[in-house]
Amino acid sequence: MRASHGSSRLGRNSVGGLVVVAAAFAFASAIGAAAPPEGEPPVILLTGFEPFGKKKPPNPSWEAIKKLDGQAWNGYKLIARRLPVVWGTPLKELEGWIAEYKPVAVISLGQGGEGGFSIESWAYNRRAADARDNLANKPSTADVVADGPSRFDASIDSLKLAKKLAEKGYNVNVSTNAGRYLCEETLYSLEYLKSARKIDGPVLFCHVPPLGSKLTRTKFVTEDYVEHFAKDLLETWRDADQKAEPAEPTALAAAAAAAQPSPSPSPTARERDVKTFIEHYFKCWSDQDMDAYDDCFMADACIQYIDDHGQLFTTPRPRFVASQRELHRRSSVRSIEVPETIEIRFEQKIARVVAYWRLNAGARVQKGYDHFTLIQDRGAWRIVNLLFYATSDDGRD
């Protein structure tokens, strides 16, 4: 699609772990889980990750929860465990801990980008093909789970949790891009175990900012800060859900029955409108109608691109659209880009869209993903933010 498209992406600078301690608890009693041994309090399992990279600084996802291990909290027992940054270990370790502790909820933290916290709402069954773990190994298989679903939506209310934490003064967003690294593998593993009924309670993942990174001009991320955030997650859950006390078995059974998924409804008018807009966006680019293409964006829209080394580049709308005009002008072949799949999710006033696209430019074929954030402006959907990257081969990355 775009001249700057690379061949693959590592994704956000994320190092596995799960964060959403609070929200997961919020639904633990409502959904239910395997009963703990008689006379013992139900367990909430917290996970973080070991230090990552060559210099291996402390990982904030583990620093946030390590002191909580073994503590009692509002009738629950907190168990904190550390995951290695090694491909293939999240599913194995989590399944073992779940069998051992029989938690009513699993909440994990992972290191993410600077500036704030990100609650992950999607997890894909794909690994970044070129990303190396702490053993310097690339993933041995492309999928997290062979023959598993291509994607899981987070089973917690990400937006509700983010809003409650924002009210406590944290910079929190809901993310649809978990990074294709160990963090995304962890969330996918948890949702997979939940779908297999290995755990009936809530599971959740949240990225936390790196230690030492800036929050404001004068405020930096410290171990105490991320630990305070983890505790506030717990408090947020308790305050948001008055059913925090473990439910009786009959109540658990009723709640579990009520939680069974219903048949997928037909597309709504809003979904049809968004799908039509996304198809229009791709058609404008392929038709080289760059005035109409420019009109797809808000005036202050931000466009971001992840290259094949995992580096993130940000471009304002005028410069980006100008680069696309020049791309078409200089190209000796006609480029056609079409969306092969379009996934739509609404969050009150915005729409989030993930489009898996195919680009044909002469004999060259390229595929990749566009992540859109849309709002309605002047009676039409327009792009607030676009993040895109190409996959490393003709399949999904």
Side-chain angles (χ1 to χ4, degrees), residues 197 256-264:
R197 307 298 290 177
Q260 293 299 314
S262 57
S264 298

Side-chain angles (χ1 to χ4, degrees), residues 154-230:
S155 51
I156 50 88
D157 190 335
S158 303
L159 183 60
K160 177 181 178 182
L161 179 62
K163 288 174 63 177
K164 293 294 183 181
L165 289 168
E167 291 172 2
K168 293 180 179 289
Y170 294 103
N171 182 10
V172 184
N173 69 79
V174 176
S175 168
T176 58
N177 178 15
R180 290 295 197 278
Y181 197 47
L182 271 299
C183 286
E184 186 150 12
E185 179 159 336
T186 301
L187 178 56
Y188 186 92
S189 297
L190 280 171
E191 294 292 356
Y192 176 78
L193 291 171
K194 182 176 175 65
S195 72
R197 307 298 290 177
K198 297 294 181 68
I199 179 172
D200 292 333
V203 298
L204 180 141
F205 189 99
C206 177
H207 278 105
V208 300
L211 296 174
S213 61
K214 280 188 176 182
L215 292 169
T216 66
R217 290 182 61 185
T218 59
K219 187 174 182 180
F220 296 84
V221 178
T222 64
E223 293 181 8
D224 288 343
Y225 179 74
V226 291
E227 181 181 344
H228 191 268
F229 174 79

Side-chain angles (χ1 to χ4, degrees), residues 294-311:
D294 189 22
D295 192 52
C296 292
F297 295 90
M298 295 290 290
D300 296 328
C302 173
I303 294 85
Q304 297 174 299
Y305 161 65
I306 301 174
D307 71 6
D308 56 358
H309 300 294
Q311 297 297 307

Side-chain angles (χ1 to χ4, degrees), residues 65-256:
I65 62 172
K66 65 182 183 181
K67 295 178 184 177
L68 302 179
D69 182 40
Q71 289 191 18
W73 182 82
N74 287 286
Y76 295 91
K77 182 179 180 179
L78 305 180
I79 296 293
R81 291 293 178 263
R82 191 173 72 167
L83 285 164
V85 183
V86 176
W87 290 116
T89 58
L91 182 60
K92 178 182 178 182
E93 295 285 6
L94 289 166
E95 188 169 15
W97 291 331
I98 289 170
E100 179 179 0
Y101 298 112
K102 298 178 174 56
V104 296
V106 183
I107 296 121
S108 300
L109 310 179
Q111 179 175 308
E114 298 185 5
F117 302 87
S118 296
I119 298 172
E120 298 301 334
S121 58
W122 291 351
Y124 285 91
N125 191 23
R126 276 283 174 164
R127 294 163 166 155
D130 296 326
R132 296 184 183 273
D133 60 18
N134 269 358
L135 300 180
N137 293 326
K138 295 181 180 180
S140 58
T141 61
D143 295 339
V144 177
V145 177
D147 301 322
S150 62
R151 192 192 87 191
F152 282 112
D153 286 0
S155 51
I156 50 88
D157 190 335
S158 303
L159 183 60
K160 177 181 178 182
L161 179 62
K163 288 174 63 177
K164 293 294 183 181
L165 289 168
E167 291 172 2
K168 293 180 179 289
Y170 294 103
N171 182 10
V172 184
N173 69 79
V174 176
S175 168
T176 58
N177 178 15
R180 290 295 197 278
Y181 197 47
L182 271 299
C183 286
E184 186 150 12
E185 179 159 336
T186 301
L187 178 56
Y188 186 92
S189 297
L190 280 171
E191 294 292 356
Y192 176 78
L193 291 171
K194 182 176 175 65
S195 72
R197 307 298 290 177
K198 297 294 181 68
I199 179 172
D200 292 333
V203 298
L204 180 141
F205 189 99
C206 177
H207 278 105
V208 300
L211 296 174
S213 61
K214 280 188 176 182
L215 292 169
T216 66
R217 290 182 61 185
T218 59
K219 187 174 182 180
F220 296 84
V221 178
T222 64
E223 293 181 8
D224 288 343
Y225 179 74
V226 291
E227 181 181 344
H228 191 268
F229 174 79
K231 292 177 179 177
D232 269 347
L233 280 174
L234 291 166
E235 294 299 327
T236 300
W237 165 69
R238 185 183 66 178
D239 294 343
D241 193 336
Q242 297 303 311
K243 298 178 181 179
E245 293 301 322
E248 294 297 325
T250 53
L252 294 178

